[in-house]
Amino acid sequence: NAEYMGILYHVYHLALFDEFAAARDLLLMSHLQDSISYALPEIQVLFNRTMVQLGLAAFRAGLIDEAHSCLQELSSSGHIKELLGQGVSPQRSSERDEAREKMQRRLLVPYHLHISLELIECVHLTTAMLLEVPHMAANAHETRRRVLNKHFRKYLSERGPFTGPPESTRDYLIAGARKLAAGDWRSCCELVFSRSYWALIGNWPVLKPLVEHAIKVEALRTYFFTNAALYDSVSMANLVQMFALSESDVHAVVSKMVIAEEMHASWDQHATAITMHKVEPSRLQFLALQLAEKAGNLVENNERVLDIRNSAFNRGDPNARGRRRRGADGGPFRNDALAGGPDNSDVVESSFKLFRRGGGGGGG
């Protein structure tokens, strides 16, 4: 336990002074994250606080993906105050457990060591916005979407009948994410930077232009994911004017998207424009392909049910083969399941159930 505490305090110290790479390497080499669930509660609280400091250090270094990975699990738990040793979970009088409450109070850290929960929420939602919004735009037509941050996606989809002005930190960040999805990066920056908790970051005057540049880049990527199918070509000058980026930044972002096959386009060096290649299916074409796939599944399930019924019919009666050739009354054979007889309804009904289970959740 003393060794674990020493490692965590060392990592905490390195992260506090913006040495993210050294702190991350030390934590990974210790393999402490593999056995932390079996450690003492005091060590688990210190580990959670260390992970938060690692996430904040990554954000101060401009590492959006790493900061999101460090903060996602704790911020999405709903009990971050208790996990950081900065509060006691409220309990009803009927369900009050004195032993548990006493243990939680024993794990509390002094007030001057508290980490701002609002700052943690600001950093977590900002990193989730920069990662999730372009991902949602790139996979808008996919039925089985891979979700990067489930809680952020849930917050983004929650809209009441009357949407008022934002009030809490989460409301401001979610409103900024909606503006980013629409390509309005200026409104997004105003909403994100309006919170006063950013001043708790020591190098915020230096970090703010980096975050603003990241928002512009993700707005450009989201714009291409959403509207690329509507253009034959896009001028470099228009993109520079719309997103307030330099030509080198626009060229770098578009080239990365083309190399990663996120966008099918090519550069026209003479006209300084981007020529689009129409290879992605439109929304209507995607729904038509989805319908054709479901119809094929229906036919396949129907044939499978018929094969099961025919095999059971052959096993049950040794004279079935002769009756299949002649029919029961000496006439030509008539399969009720295929000819629409009394046994056809349950076959179609079972096939329809299989179809509903197999592909009923898609769009269209």
Side-chain angles (χ1 to χ4, degrees):
N1 293 333
E3 182 182 358
Y4 286 170
M5 297 282 282
I7 293 174
L8 290 176
Y9 276 126
H10 192 186
V11 174
Y12 193 99
H13 172 80
L14 292 174
L16 200 60
F17 287 91
D18 293 336
E19 298 185 21
F20 171 75
R24 177 197 57 193
D25 295 342
L26 179 59
L27 183 63
L28 292 177
M29 287 189 296
S30 66
H31 298 285
L32 186 58
Q33 65 275 9
D34 299 333
S35 58
I36 191 61
S37 58
Y38 304 103
L40 295 176
E42 296 86 351
I43 299 179
Q44 293 183 9
V45 170
L46 180 57
F47 178 81
N48 295 335
R49 295 174 60 82
T50 304
M51 290 301 299
V52 168
Q53 288 294 350
L54 267 178
L56 296 178
F59 185 76
R60 290 193 295 266
L63 304 174
I64 303 300
D65 201 356
E66 288 80 356
H68 178 260
S69 300
C70 293
L71 297 175
Q72 179 182 5
E73 187 174 356
L74 284 171
S75 299
S76 304
S77 63
H79 305 282
I80 185 171
K81 184 185 295 185
E82 293 79 12
L83 293 175
L84 296 180
Q86 298 181 183
V88 179
S89 58
Q91 297 179 0
R92 299 179 181 176
S93 58
S94 59
E95 301 177 356
R96 189 170 182 178
D97 189 355
E98 294 184 0
R100 179 182 177 185
E101 186 176 353
K102 185 177 180 180
M103 184 188 69
Q104 288 183 349
R105 292 189 180 280
R106 183 168 56 87
L107 297 175
L108 293 179
V109 298
Y111 182 77
H112 69 279
L113 296 179
H114 283 197
I115 305 173
S116 174
L117 301 180
E118 295 291 340
L119 177 61
I120 296 173
E121 187 176 22
C122 280
V123 174
H124 170 245
L125 292 180
T126 301
T127 55
M129 174 187 69
L130 294 175
L131 296 175
E132 188 70 38
V133 171
H135 179 74
M136 291 172 58
N139 301 278
H141 299 329
E142 297 292 333
T143 55
R144 298 178 180 179
R145 304 175 184 175
R146 186 174 67 91
V147 180
L148 299 179
N149 193 310
K150 181 175 64 176
H151 288 80
F152 179 81
R153 187 76 68 94
K154 178 183 176 182
Y155 298 150
L156 199 60
S157 61
E158 289 179 350
R159 302 195 73 169
F162 303 101
T163 304
E167 299 177 356
S168 63
T169 300
R170 180 188 303 171
D171 294 340
Y172 273 91
L173 271 297
I174 295 302
R178 293 195 177 102
K179 294 295 184 181
L180 180 62
D184 188 0
W185 65 269
R186 291 183 176 86
S187 300
C188 176
C189 290
E190 292 177 1
L191 290 168
V192 171
F193 298 150
S194 63
R195 309 308 293 160
S196 60
Y197 302 102
W198 294 115
L200 298 175
I201 298 179
N203 62 339
W204 177 240
V206 179
L207 183 60
K208 182 178 178 180
L210 298 179
V211 178
E212 183 177 356
H213 181 268
I215 291 176
K216 293 178 183 179
V217 169
E218 299 305 328
L220 175 59
R221 297 180 70 243
T222 304
Y223 182 80
F224 273 121
F225 287 138
T226 307
N227 303 313
L230 305 177
Y231 290 95
D232 291 328
S233 63
V234 182
S235 173
M236 167 77 80
N238 290 337
L239 295 177
V240 170
Q241 182 180 3
M242 288 174 59
F243 297 98
L245 292 170
S246 63
E247 292 188 2
S248 59
D249 290 335
V250 173
H251 192 280
V253 171
V254 174
S255 299
K256 288 180 181 178
M257 293 179 66
V258 172
I259 293 173
E261 297 184 356
E262 295 176 339
M263 180 177 66
H264 298 277
S266 60
W267 279 103
D268 187 351
Q269 300 294 340
H270 299 286
T272 63
I274 307 165
T275 303
M276 301 295 178
H277 304 308
K278 302 296 183 65
V279 295
E280 294 95 349
S282 63
R283 176 66 176 170
L284 178 61
Q285 292 171 338
F286 186 83
L287 293 176
L289 292 173
Q290 210 172 24
L291 177 62
E293 182 181 357
K294 292 179 181 179
N297 292 334
L298 175 63
V299 173
E300 185 178 346
N301 292 332
N302 196 14
E303 292 177 351
R304 189 181 300 116
V305 171
L306 288 177
D307 291 340
I308 294 174
R309 289 178 59 85
N310 290 334
S311 60
F313 178 74
N314 292 336
R315 288 196 305 268
D317 191 350
N319 298 323
R321 183 172 300 178
R323 283 209 302 269
R324 287 185 67 186
R325 287 197 300 264
R326 299 189 304 274
D329 54 354
F333 172 72
R334 181 174 181 268
N335 192 338
D336 290 335
L338 293 176
D343 292 335
N344 190 31
S345 59
D346 56 349
V347 174
V348 175
E349 183 179 358
S350 60
S351 301
F352 182 70
K353 291 179 180 179
L354 290 173
F355 171 68
R356 290 292 299 272
R357 287 199 303 268

